[in-house]
């Protein structure tokens, strides 16, 4: 690795997270090449421009994306949506990611800048309308177009594209802003007939101080062939159970984008809704997306704890999710977790003000709430509320042990059905306030 | 004042707030008597039990209340709702407030405890079904019934009821938990014919560490006669523009209650929807409720700033309110305000993810966002976004001056209509995390 990792060095406290969560090797899907460099947009000389190319020339390639629902959609979001709509049924050849400038709230000129960048890459890969864009960083500033176009030319001219581990790791670094570690995962999976395929994913997360943004970017690429009409719902479903089930502070940005390419470089039958392996692939992609999304929470600003909020046995999935999200976003719950306070009242209170779609999902007399240890210590489950009744003889020593764990679970059993939603959140620490409050002062 | 104010002394930093916001005298409405004492529920010997009696025996008395929409309604909420429903068209004679124990999540036994307390007071005032209850404090604990019933007996036997300023102030203290100052306001108003009437209000606020609760309690009493069928919508409307327009952390408790008595002790025509003064009274009550609600925000846990979020020129009031609330609850916006960071991106971002009911309320190209100074300094308004376009030449010195003010306004002009909503919030400080995180540690 030649590239400076200065962007990570400032987060001295998080060096352990880097060691713990960043892989040291990996296998990657066939038919992709990646490249990244420091274009000069980031003043500290860190990586800030990356491209992933789909170089598989089979016609089996497809692409899909899930974009922010924020009304103020950044230029790259508007642009990429249009590309995917215009190419329905066909894959795309390149994703360009730049960090340091989000090209958000930049109006018509910002959209023109986006078109120029994509146009340049389309030309270089020899295919029109085949490039998606992702940007993250400062909002309300225009792209430094000269630096970015020069950077793109260098990537192609100097043949910086590679397929090796360092290449992928550097790409995952180039999309970071205030992340304290890059988020890169890669795994092999098998279909029923033994055919192996690979999923690789990367994301950038909850670093929002640079200076105006909270952006979640991620992409997943695979060499499996998946029919386009299937890939979009498959990705949407996976995102619904992963990136839409994480919370650092409940804010949703103008640039949030998760996209997926399935280039079909593996020689096997295209997966569609009638494939015997359809459900299997769907589950594998969903589980993979969950892993990636969880890394974003682990790097939550100031986070000292990784908390799984598991709401099970609900009459409706939607309501399980609304309850899980409400608990996960409660400042009172998050503060209590930081303070290692077994404050079941705040959890119950958050459940009670969740805006349910079906009121029957919640029956006050059927609810059970527990803390669950995620290490090997026992008893694993500490019951706080049983059938709506608070437990007054809670083992405070055990409560304190569980709450000291860096990973723990809040388990809510609604007892009204069989649907389940897991949500991942972090605690609210002094450090969060420092990071987000003291930026200019 | 003989009563210990030890509950307030711990908040040394807030002594200035006490001096600034607690009145030193007041006029109070006719036909009410108040009393309070330390029943022993609060371990520090502070006031924790209070009663307000409506002693006007005219038949013109009416009462109304707005209760929490939390699914886990505390026993006093369930009980008081039932009383008001059963007495439609008639006023009530007493409100009993106890602090230190919320009688929440206490099931059937908690409800029986509430009934006992109310039954005792009904007997003492000689009227059945005429007592409302409010409780705040620890949840999941039963009332210490002996202390409370003994306290109520003492209040009546020892003739502790009074109509003077100290009596009202002590009552306002007896409903506090972790509040750093009691919230009491009182004003005279005039009808068109010159008839004077009085509104007195008190509230307890955003003290949520004792140890499991966030509770908002408040009541407003007046000597004006108001028809019951009018009083309920009038109070609901006022609450919708006041107590429902404040946010400390977005959590809503099991006990939240705002109630109002209009006992008709002033000899004038009963106000109903056809009275020439109906709109005037409605506005006066609403403005009064706003003042009271704002005191709750000023005492927000750890708050260093009082921020008015004013969303104007919206196509719909509901959407103006949703946007104002979303900005007010954004942890990123609140942290930036604490850090005195002119972070318009976070404000715009929060506007963009507000869950509007009518999408036409927001037009990205018509939006204007400003910081507004609330002191006499100029220029009062600092434009951050004009017709959707960020202003890149913001006067940073002036921005910094405005953001240093303890009171400031975030002004959002949607430009899509003529509806307006004001919301009041505070910043998110290290102190908030300390108060809410370090309770047990």
């Amino acid at each position: 690795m030649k590239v400076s990792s200065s962007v990570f060095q400032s987060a001295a406290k998080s060096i352990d997270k880097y060691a713990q969560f960043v892989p040291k090797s990996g296998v990657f899907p066939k038919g992709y090449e990646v490249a990244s460099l420091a274009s000069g947009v980031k003043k500290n000389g860190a990586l800030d421009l990356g491209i992933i190319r789909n170089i598989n020339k089979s016609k089996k390639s497809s692409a899909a994306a899930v974009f922010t629902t924020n009304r103020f959609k950044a230029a790259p979001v508007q642009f990429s949506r249009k590309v995917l709509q215009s190419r329905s049924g066909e894959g795309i050849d390149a994703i360009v990611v730049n960090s340091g400038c989000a090209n958000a709230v930049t109006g018509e000129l910002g959209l023109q800048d986006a078109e120029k960048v994509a146009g340049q890459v389309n030309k270089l890969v020899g295919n029109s309308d085949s490039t998606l864009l992702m940007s993250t960083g400062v909002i309300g500033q225009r792209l430094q177009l000269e630096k970015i176009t020069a950077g793109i030319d260098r990537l192609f001219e100097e043949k910086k594209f590679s397929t090796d581990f360092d290449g992928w790791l550097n790409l995952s670094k180039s999309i970071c802003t205030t992340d304290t570690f890059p988020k890169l995962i890669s795994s092999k999976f098998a279909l029923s007939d033994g055919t192996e395929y690979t999923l690789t994913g990367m994301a950038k997360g909850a670093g929002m101080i640079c200076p105006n943004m909270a952006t979640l970017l991620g992409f997943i690429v695979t060499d499996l062939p998946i029919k386009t009409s299937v890939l979009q719902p498959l990705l949407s479903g996976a995102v619904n159970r992963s990136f839409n089930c994480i919370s650092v502070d409940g804010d949703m940005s103008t640039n949030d984008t998760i996209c997926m390419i399935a280039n079909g470089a593996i020689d096997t039958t295209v997966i569609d809704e009638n494939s015997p392996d359809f459900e299997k692939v769907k589950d594998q992609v969903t589980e993979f997306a969950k892993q990636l999304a969880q890394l974003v929470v682990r790097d939550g600003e100031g986070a000292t704890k990784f908390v799984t909020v598991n709401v099970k046995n609900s009459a409706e999935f939607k309501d399980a999710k609304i309850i899980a999200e409400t608990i996960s976003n409660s400042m009172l719950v998050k503060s209590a977790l930081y303070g290692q306070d077994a404050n079941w009242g705040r959890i119950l209170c958050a459940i009670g003000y969740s805006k349910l779609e079906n009121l029957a999902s919640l029956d006050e007399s059927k609810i059970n709430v527990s803390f669950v240890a995620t290490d090997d210590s026992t008893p694993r489950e500490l019951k706080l509320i049983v059938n709506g009744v608070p437990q007054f003889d809670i083992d405070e020593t055990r409560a304190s042990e569980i709450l000291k764990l860096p990973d723990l679970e809040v388990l809510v059993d609604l007892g009204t059905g069989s649907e389940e939603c897991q949500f991942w959140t972090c605690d609210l620490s002094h450090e969060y306030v420092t990071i987000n409050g003291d930026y200019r002062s």
Side-chain angles (χ1 to χ4, degrees), chain A:
Chain A
M1 261 188 293
K2 292 168 297 180
V3 181
S4 152
S5 62
S6 59
V7 67
F8 307 111
Q9 284 166 358
S10 63
K13 284 188 203 162
S14 304
I15 284 172
D16 53 332
K17 284 190 184 174
Y18 194 105
Q20 200 175 349
F21 298 118
V22 181
K24 286 168 190 67
S25 66
V27 288
F28 302 97
K30 292 179 186 171
Y32 294 97
E33 279 182 356
V34 293
S36 54
L37 54 65
S39 74
V41 169
K42 277 187 188 160
K43 284 174 194 155
N44 63 0
L47 294 171
D48 57 15
L49 179 66
I51 300 182
I52 178 162
R53 287 186 65 183
N54 165 16
I55 53 167
N56 180 50
K57 292 298 169 195
S58 88
K59 284 285 161 206
K60 291 194 275 183
S61 172
S62 66
V66 177
F67 298 104
T68 181
T69 57
N70 196 303
R71 281 287 288 275
F72 297 97
K73 289 180 176 53
V77 170
Q78 295 178 47
F79 176 82
S80 298
R81 254 161 52 123
K82 226 167 52 184
V83 170
L84 283 178
Q85 281 162 4
S86 71
R87 288 181 68 80
S88 60
E90 284 175 85
I92 60 113
D93 290 346
I95 303 171
V96 180
V97 192
N98 73 283
S99 56
C101 173
N103 192 8
V105 199
T106 44
E108 192 51 44
L109 293 174
L111 209 51
Q112 288 171 16
D113 293 342
E115 282 162 3
K116 278 179 200 156
V117 173
Q120 180 191 10
V121 176
N122 284 335
K123 215 179 219 172
L124 287 164
V125 301
N127 197 352
S128 63
D129 248 2
S130 64
T131 299
L132 299 185
L133 301 178
M134 291 184 178
S135 301
T136 176
V138 184
I139 82 171
Q141 281 187 8
R142 287 185 59 193
L143 284 179
Q144 297 178 48
L145 211 52
E146 282 176 29
K147 289 182 182 168
I148 288 178
T149 54
I152 289 170
D153 279 338
R154 269 175 58 208
L155 288 177
F156 279 85
E157 282 164 14
E158 296 174 18
K159 300 194 169 53
K160 285 185 179 289
F161 286 90
S162 78
T163 58
D164 64 12
F165 172 72
D166 279 357
W168 286 91
L169 182 65
N170 285 338
L171 179 65
S172 73
K173 288 182 179 178
S174 74
I175 70 176
C176 291
T177 55
T178 55
D179 304 62
T180 67
F181 62 88
K183 289 135 196 92
L184 170 67
I185 56 174
S186 196
S187 294
K188 276 201 178 304
F189 296 89
L191 302 179
S192 317
D193 67 0
T195 306
E196 285 198 328
Y197 74 98
T198 303
L199 289 172
T200 293
M202 56 185 72
K204 73 145 305 242
M208 315 179 183
I209 55 169
C210 194
N212 286 318
M213 282 295 300
T215 290
L216 176 71
L217 296 183
F219 50 84
I220 296 173
V221 291
T222 183
D223 41 20
L224 196 64
I226 305 178
K227 203 174 154 191
T228 303
S229 62
V230 163
L231 188 66
Q232 183 62 51
L234 188 150
L235 179 65
S236 299
V239 167
N240 201 33
R241 299 258 174 179
S242 58
F243 290 98
N244 283 347
C245 286
I246 60 174
S247 162
V248 173
D249 51 19
D251 283 57
M252 180 209 287
S253 100
T254 50
N255 290 54
D256 292 347
T257 302
I258 308 292
C259 72
M260 184 165 177
I261 305 177
N263 70 358
I266 294 281
D267 186 22
T268 185
T269 321
V270 177
I271 301 287
D272 66 18
E273 47 278 80
N274 302 315
S275 305
D277 280 322
F278 173 67
E279 287 298 329
K280 181 182 219 142
V281 169
K282 206 173 100 178
D283 290 348
Q284 286 167 341
V285 171
T286 302
E287 287 308 310
F288 187 80
K290 282 184 187 175
Q291 267 188 53
L292 195 55
Q294 288 172 18
L295 287 178
V296 174
V297 177
R298 292 196 180 275
D299 202 12
E301 286 174 343
T304 73
K305 280 189 197 312
F306 176 81
V307 183
T308 302
V309 178
N310 188 2
V311 178
K312 67 179 193 183
N313 294 327
S314 171
E316 309 266 354
F317 170 71
K318 269 192 183 173
D319 289 329
K321 188 168 178 175
I322 289 167
I323 289 175
E325 184 172 11
T326 306
I327 297 170
S328 297
N329 281 333
S330 161
M331 281 169 58
L332 283 173
V333 172
K334 288 161 79 86
S335 302
L337 288 167
Y338 175 61
Q340 308 184 351
D341 182 1
N343 207 319
W344 56 265
R346 293 184 184 170
I347 297 170
L348 202 71
C349 188
I351 295 168
Y353 67 75
S354 298
K355 291 176 180 158
L356 302 181
E357 299 204 348
N358 176 1
L359 295 179
S361 298
L362 177 59
D363 177 337
E364 292 81 339
S365 68
K366 287 185 180 162
I367 196 164
N368 284 262
V369 179
S370 306
F371 286 135
V372 182
T374 51
D375 62 356
D376 295 332
S377 63
T378 54
R380 273 191 78 233
E381 183 174 355
L382 183 73
K383 289 175 188 292
L384 304 169
I385 295 166
V386 176
N387 298 326
V389 180
Q391 303 302 291
F392 294 111
D393 51 351
I394 289 172
D395 179 347
E396 291 283 349
T397 313
R398 182 63 186 146
S400 168
E401 279 169 12
I402 294 178
L403 284 160
K404 276 189 186 133
L405 296 172
D407 277 37
L408 63 101
E409 179 181 327
V410 174
L411 175 63
V412 177
D413 185 334
L414 296 176
T416 57
S418 59
E419 293 291 335
E420 174 166 358
C421 178
Q422 289 193 312
F423 217 93
W424 297 277
T425 190
C426 55
D427 54 345
L428 171 58
S429 67
H430 287 111
E431 183 72 3
Y432 177 91
V433 179
T434 301
I435 294 173
N436 286 296
D438 296 353
Y439 174 71
R440 291 185 185 215
S441 54

Tab-separated table of all heavy atoms in Angstrom, chain A residues 96-114:
chain	number	residue	atom	x	y	z
A	96	VAL	N	-18.186	5.992	-10.593
A	96	VAL	CA	-17.158	6.954	-10.176
A	96	VAL	C	-17.564	7.511	-8.815
A	96	VAL	O	-18.694	7.958	-8.640
A	96	VAL	CB	-17.037	8.126	-11.181
A	96	VAL	CG1	-15.960	9.112	-10.728
A	96	VAL	CG2	-16.748	7.596	-12.567
A	97	VAL	N	-16.643	7.447	-7.874
A	97	VAL	CA	-16.926	7.989	-6.543
A	97	VAL	C	-15.909	9.067	-6.237
A	97	VAL	O	-14.705	8.868	-6.411
A	97	VAL	CB	-16.809	6.908	-5.454
A	97	VAL	CG1	-17.386	7.426	-4.153
A	97	VAL	CG2	-17.506	5.637	-5.864
A	98	ASN	N	-16.386	10.214	-5.785
A	98	ASN	CA	-15.439	11.211	-5.293
A	98	ASN	C	-15.824	11.626	-3.887
A	98	ASN	O	-17.008	11.698	-3.547
A	98	ASN	CB	-15.391	12.439	-6.209
A	98	ASN	CG	-16.621	13.302	-6.077
A	98	ASN	OD1	-17.663	12.949	-6.609
A	98	ASN	ND2	-16.503	14.408	-5.356
A	99	SER	N	-14.837	11.852	-3.065
A	99	SER	CA	-15.092	12.311	-1.705
A	99	SER	C	-14.439	13.667	-1.502
A	99	SER	O	-13.478	14.026	-2.184
A	99	SER	CB	-14.579	11.296	-0.680
A	99	SER	OG	-13.205	11.040	-0.880
A	100	GLY	N	-14.993	14.427	-0.555
A	100	GLY	CA	-14.468	15.776	-0.311
A	100	GLY	C	-15.445	16.840	-0.767
A	100	GLY	O	-15.476	17.941	-0.231
A	101	CYS	N	-16.260	16.508	-1.763
A	101	CYS	CA	-17.296	17.441	-2.251
A	101	CYS	C	-18.503	16.624	-2.660
A	101	CYS	O	-18.398	15.695	-3.461
A	101	CYS	CB	-16.782	18.248	-3.441
A	101	CYS	SG	-18.078	19.265	-4.202
A	102	ALA	N	-19.670	16.966	-2.103
A	102	ALA	CA	-20.873	16.159	-2.324
A	102	ALA	C	-21.647	16.580	-3.561
A	102	ALA	O	-22.584	15.910	-3.962
A	102	ALA	CB	-21.790	16.234	-1.106
A	103	ASN	N	-21.262	17.694	-4.176
A	103	ASN	CA	-22.012	18.219	-5.328
A	103	ASN	C	-23.511	18.244	-5.008
A	103	ASN	O	-24.342	17.809	-5.800
A	103	ASN	CB	-21.710	17.401	-6.589
A	103	ASN	CG	-22.222	18.085	-7.866
A	103	ASN	OD1	-22.674	19.242	-7.826
A	103	ASN	ND2	-22.146	17.384	-8.984
A	104	ALA	N	-23.831	18.743	-3.824
A	104	ALA	CA	-25.226	18.798	-3.369
A	104	ALA	C	-25.632	20.249	-3.184
A	104	ALA	O	-24.814	21.087	-2.799
A	104	ALA	CB	-25.385	18.045	-2.055
A	105	VAL	N	-26.912	20.547	-3.455
A	105	VAL	CA	-27.429	21.910	-3.400
A	105	VAL	C	-26.574	22.812	-4.299
A	105	VAL	O	-26.129	23.883	-3.922
A	105	VAL	CB	-27.489	22.461	-1.955
A	105	VAL	CG1	-28.435	23.654	-1.873
A	105	VAL	CG2	-27.956	21.403	-0.967
A	106	THR	N	-26.344	22.330	-5.505
A	106	THR	CA	-25.518	23.061	-6.463
A	106	THR	C	-26.304	23.354	-7.742
A	106	THR	O	-25.743	23.849	-8.718
A	106	THR	CB	-24.269	22.225	-6.819
A	106	THR	OG1	-24.686	20.870	-7.035
A	106	THR	CG2	-23.248	22.262	-5.703
A	107	GLY	N	-27.595	23.002	-7.721
A	107	GLY	CA	-28.490	23.409	-8.812
A	107	GLY	C	-28.124	22.848	-10.177
A	107	GLY	O	-27.496	21.793	-10.305
A	108	GLU	N	-28.512	23.592	-11.201
A	108	GLU	CA	-28.339	23.169	-12.588
A	108	GLU	C	-26.864	23.006	-12.941
A	108	GLU	O	-26.464	22.074	-13.642
A	108	GLU	CB	-29.007	24.220	-13.491
A	108	GLU	CG	-29.183	23.816	-14.941
A	108	GLU	CD	-29.843	22.454	-15.094
A	108	GLU	OE1	-30.837	22.173	-14.378
A	108	GLU	OE2	-29.352	21.649	-15.910
A	109	LEU	N	-26.032	23.922	-12.393
A	109	LEU	CA	-24.600	23.838	-12.684
A	109	LEU	C	-23.996	22.552	-12.123
A	109	LEU	O	-23.143	21.924	-12.739
A	109	LEU	CB	-23.872	25.058	-12.090
A	109	LEU	CG	-24.243	26.396	-12.748
A	109	LEU	CD1	-23.595	27.557	-11.994
A	109	LEU	CD2	-23.804	26.417	-14.217
A	110	GLY	N	-24.464	22.159	-10.952
A	110	GLY	CA	-23.975	20.926	-10.341
A	110	GLY	C	-24.326	19.718	-11.189
A	110	GLY	O	-23.522	18.782	-11.345
A	111	LEU	N	-25.528	19.760	-11.765
A	111	LEU	CA	-25.964	18.663	-12.626
A	111	LEU	C	-25.099	18.628	-13.893
A	111	LEU	O	-24.705	17.549	-14.369
A	111	LEU	CB	-27.437	18.875	-12.980
A	111	LEU	CG	-28.272	17.636	-13.265
A	111	LEU	CD1	-28.132	16.588	-12.168
A	111	LEU	CD2	-29.744	18.031	-13.411
A	112	GLN	N	-24.777	19.803	-14.427
A	112	GLN	CA	-23.902	19.861	-15.613
A	112	GLN	C	-22.515	19.314	-15.289
A	112	GLN	O	-21.906	18.600	-16.086
A	112	GLN	CB	-23.795	21.304	-16.117
A	112	GLN	CG	-25.084	21.803	-16.784
A	112	GLN	CD	-25.042	23.292	-17.090
A	112	GLN	OE1	-23.972	23.914	-17.096
A	112	GLN	NE2	-26.213	23.871	-17.342
A	113	ASP	N	-22.015	19.648	-14.078
A	113	ASP	CA	-20.711	19.109	-13.664
A	113	ASP	C	-20.747	17.583	-13.637
A	113	ASP	O	-19.824	16.909	-14.108
A	113	ASP	CB	-20.330	19.634	-12.271
A	113	ASP	CG	-20.059	21.136	-12.264
A	113	ASP	OD1	-19.829	21.704	-13.360
A	113	ASP	OD2	-20.069	21.737	-11.167
A	114	ALA	N	-21.840	17.056	-13.068
A	114	ALA	CA	-21.983	15.598	-12.987
A	114	ALA	C	-21.987	14.990	-14.388
A	114	ALA	O	-21.319	13.977	-14.659
A	114	ALA	CB	-23.265	15.234	-12.242
